[in-house]
Amino acid sequence: MSKEAEIWTTQDKPLELTETEFTLAGKIKYDLKEVEKGRRYKLTFQPISGSETTYRGFLTFKTNYEEQPEIKFVIRVHFTKAAGAEK
């Protein structure tokens, strides 16, 4: 069970991202993969425990763009167990 988001740019300048703050560390984990070098990223969130629960928090990335120096994801995610999953 996971949730995904994408980050992309239409600028000519390649986008660089650096994590600056993640308020849900220890509750959920994320993976940031560069899909297209400097252009498109895939962000995947997964719960650390297998429990069914809702989390709220945020993840902030610093960028190399002066016009948008940071990207902040406000996270509200509900993870449920898949049908037939062990209890």
Side-chain angles (χ1 to χ4, degrees):
M1 84 182 110
S2 64
K3 303 290 182 179
E4 295 180 349
E6 284 194 17
I7 303 169
W8 69 91
T9 183
T10 56
Q11 305 277 336
D12 291 333
K13 180 180 177 180
L15 175 62
E16 297 171 10
L17 300 172
T18 305
E19 179 196 320
T20 56
E21 188 170 9
F22 183 42
T23 63
L24 295 172
K27 296 177 183 174
I28 66 174
K29 60 183 177 179
Y30 77 90
D31 182 45
L32 182 66
K33 291 196 180 190
E34 194 172 38
V35 176
E36 186 181 337
K37 186 153 180 73
R39 311 283 308 152
R40 185 176 299 273
Y41 295 83
K42 180 177 162 184
L43 186 59
T44 305
F45 295 98
Q46 292 184 309
I48 289 177
S49 69
S51 65
E52 182 173 327
T53 190
T54 300
Y55 295 113
R56 291 178 182 90
F58 60 88
L59 171 61
T60 307
F61 291 103
K62 176 182 166 190
T63 77
N64 58 317
Y65 288 173
E66 286 183 22
E67 59 277 5
Q68 186 172 4
E70 73 175 22
I71 297 172
K72 185 173 194 172
F73 282 88
V74 176
I75 302 164
R76 181 180 177 274
V77 63
H78 181 76
F79 291 102
T80 57
K81 292 184 179 179
E86 292 182 30
K87 295 189 180 205

